Amino acid sequence: MNSARGTRAMAGWRMSGWRGWVASLLAVMALMLLLDLGHRLLQGRTEAPLFRVVVNGESLLLDAETHAEFGRDLDRLTARLQQDVAAGMQPWVDERLEAAFATLEAAVPGYLDWYYSLSGSYLRLGMAVAGELEDWLDAQRHERLIAASGVEEDLAELEAEYPQRLARVQEGLMQGAAQRLLREYAPRQAAPAGEGEGPVHALDLDLVLQRALHDSLDATRWGTATLGGAGIGLVAGRALAQRLGAGAAAQGSRMAMRSLLARLGTNTARSLASGGAVAAATAPTGPGAMLIGTATAAVSLAGFVGSEYALLKVQEAHYRPGMEAQLHEEIDRAREELAHSLEDLATGSTMTLASRMEHHAGEAEESEQMPEEYRIFGTRGD
């Protein structure tokens, strides 16, 4: 009986000892896990980088996660920049183009008054005899319509002011974005790095933006200077003069002039040409002022003036409304095309701005030896 009790006591002691050993083992394992977790946390704090970003004149200290979110927000703001720049530039461009081309439209009636005047009609007749009608008409449109309206000077002023205006709009939008980022992330800064903690990578975003804006301004100046072939001013130069004379009504008027010339007859036309009736004269009448060089031509034209002047006025009544409408339509198209060209120029300049921001930020981050996975624009760039 005593032996049975001893056996039970021994079993109880062994069970109690086993439980104690298991509890001790669990305690030791828990302590090791806590130590390992503490070590990992300390190591993570030691190795995790911090980022100092200068934005809108202020310095922000961000941890890696917040810095990555900062970069994503900057990406979103940059992606919206094109449409925001277009919206900011359009009212100014529309106002300037409207004012410039309004003077050209206002000059149309005066040009047509000359075109269908007696002197204008016979000057055209003389140039038709000389075979130089097309080039002469282009020169007259440029002198009497385009140059007289002052549109070239207005567009030259627009060409000079456009790059600076675009740069101010871009800079204002980017400064607004920087202010939003500062308001959003200033309250979310990390605690200042202490001794032995992770490295602090610095990026002066203000300097990056300043360099990118300079590059974008240079690109805009170059693009504006080459717009329309060799500058905005030439959009309203000889090319526009030729364009304004390409309408069906203008062509019809020239055909009527040729048919009128045919009524002079071969002998009179030959006399006009061989007698030096047509000469290239300078201002104020322009090239091609007709001079009567022979008695035969003088007599022929004297009779011709009286009989055909009425026909010239009939041609005016027939062709002038159509010419006037086509001139205004072509001026409208030229204005719209120039507006689209300027819009494309703003888009290209803004794309350059975004690209150069990435490039300059990448250079700065590389000089800081920032790991690529932590760069504010990722691994993109030039």
Side-chain angles (χ1 to χ4, degrees):
M1 187 172 184
N2 289 334
S3 176
R5 287 176 181 169
T7 301
R8 286 196 298 272
M10 181 64 69
W13 179 83
R14 288 177 178 173
M15 182 63 69
S16 176
W18 172 257
R19 288 175 178 172
W21 184 82
V22 170
S24 298
L25 179 60
L26 290 175
V28 170
M29 292 177 64
L31 181 60
M32 292 179 63
L33 287 173
L34 288 173
L35 289 173
D36 182 66
L37 179 60
H39 175 73
R40 289 177 180 273
L41 289 174
L42 181 60
Q43 184 180 34
R45 179 172 177 80
T46 300
E47 295 179 354
L50 295 175
F51 302 87
R52 190 175 304 279
V53 182
V54 178
V55 56
N56 199 43
E58 301 290 338
S59 178
L60 300 179
L61 187 63
L62 307 176
D63 60 32
E65 182 179 352
T66 308
H67 179 263
E69 189 174 348
F70 180 95
R72 288 191 293 270
D73 282 344
L74 180 60
D75 265 347
R76 283 191 288 269
L77 291 171
T78 303
R80 290 178 45 192
L81 190 59
Q82 287 187 21
Q83 63 188 53
D84 292 341
V85 167
M89 288 295 295
Q90 184 174 354
W92 183 83
V93 169
D94 288 347
E95 181 180 355
R96 296 298 297 270
L97 290 180
E98 184 66 29
F101 280 91
T103 62
L104 182 57
E105 291 183 324
V108 168
Y111 167 74
L112 292 177
D113 287 343
W114 167 82
Y115 187 91
Y116 286 107
S117 67
L118 184 62
S119 62
S121 297
Y122 281 98
L123 283 171
R124 295 200 311 280
L125 180 64
M127 296 310 299
V129 171
E132 300 175 3
L133 180 63
E134 299 299 331
D135 291 341
W136 180 80
L137 281 176
D138 289 340
Q140 293 302 307
R141 273 190 301 273
H142 180 262
E143 176 187 345
R144 298 176 182 273
L145 177 57
I146 296 171
S149 71
V151 66
E152 289 177 305
E153 290 78 5
D154 291 338
L155 292 182
E157 185 177 348
L158 170 61
E159 178 181 343
E161 294 180 4
Y162 184 86
Q164 295 291 342
R165 177 76 182 194
L166 179 58
R168 286 196 296 271
V169 170
Q170 291 173 337
E171 183 177 12
L173 289 169
M174 291 307 301
Q175 286 181 346
Q179 291 170 1
R180 289 194 294 272
L181 290 170
L182 179 62
R183 287 194 302 268
E184 174 69 22
Y185 287 92
R188 301 171 59 182
Q189 295 188 76
E195 185 177 357
E197 293 186 345
V200 177
H201 301 286
L203 174 63
D204 190 337
L205 196 58
D206 289 346
L207 181 58
V208 166
L209 176 58
Q210 180 182 354
R211 291 175 175 173
L213 283 168
H214 181 271
D215 293 348
S216 176
L217 178 59
D218 285 344
T220 304
R221 284 172 173 160
W222 179 85
T224 307
T226 58
L227 191 61
I232 289 180
L234 292 188
V235 173
R238 292 299 180 91
L240 182 56
Q242 294 172 352
R243 178 174 179 170
L244 293 177
Q251 293 294 336
S253 180
R254 285 196 282 275
M255 292 298 296
M257 176 58 66
R258 292 188 179 97
S259 67
L260 189 61
L261 177 62
R263 296 172 62 122
L264 283 171
T266 305
N267 292 333
T268 302
R270 184 182 301 114
S271 178
L272 286 171
S274 62
V278 182
T282 56
T285 58
M290 189 169 68
L291 303 176
I292 305 301
T294 66
T296 303
V299 172
S300 299
L301 286 179
F304 179 76
V305 169
S307 62
E308 301 298 336
Y309 179 67
L311 183 57
L312 291 173
K313 303 311 289 183
V314 171
Q315 290 179 4
E316 176 181 4
H318 181 73
Y319 289 108
R320 176 165 177 159
M323 284 186 66
E324 185 166 6
Q326 288 183 359
L327 285 171
H328 284 294
E329 289 174 3
E330 201 59 48
I331 290 171
D332 288 341
R333 277 194 289 269
R335 178 176 53 225
E336 291 172 3
E337 289 175 7
L338 183 53
H340 288 315
S341 297
L342 290 171
E343 183 178 350
D344 291 342
L345 182 61
T347 298
S349 173
T350 305
M351 292 175 63
T352 298
L353 174 60
S355 174
R356 299 312 293 173
M357 282 183 63
E358 293 186 11
H359 171 73
H360 290 302
E363 284 186 334
E365 289 168 332
E366 185 175 353
S367 67
E368 284 285 320
Q369 298 183 347
M370 186 183 298
E372 288 189 358
E373 62 270 21
Y374 292 120
R375 295 186 179 185
I376 201 166
F377 285 106
T379 58
R380 295 167 299 164
D382 289 356

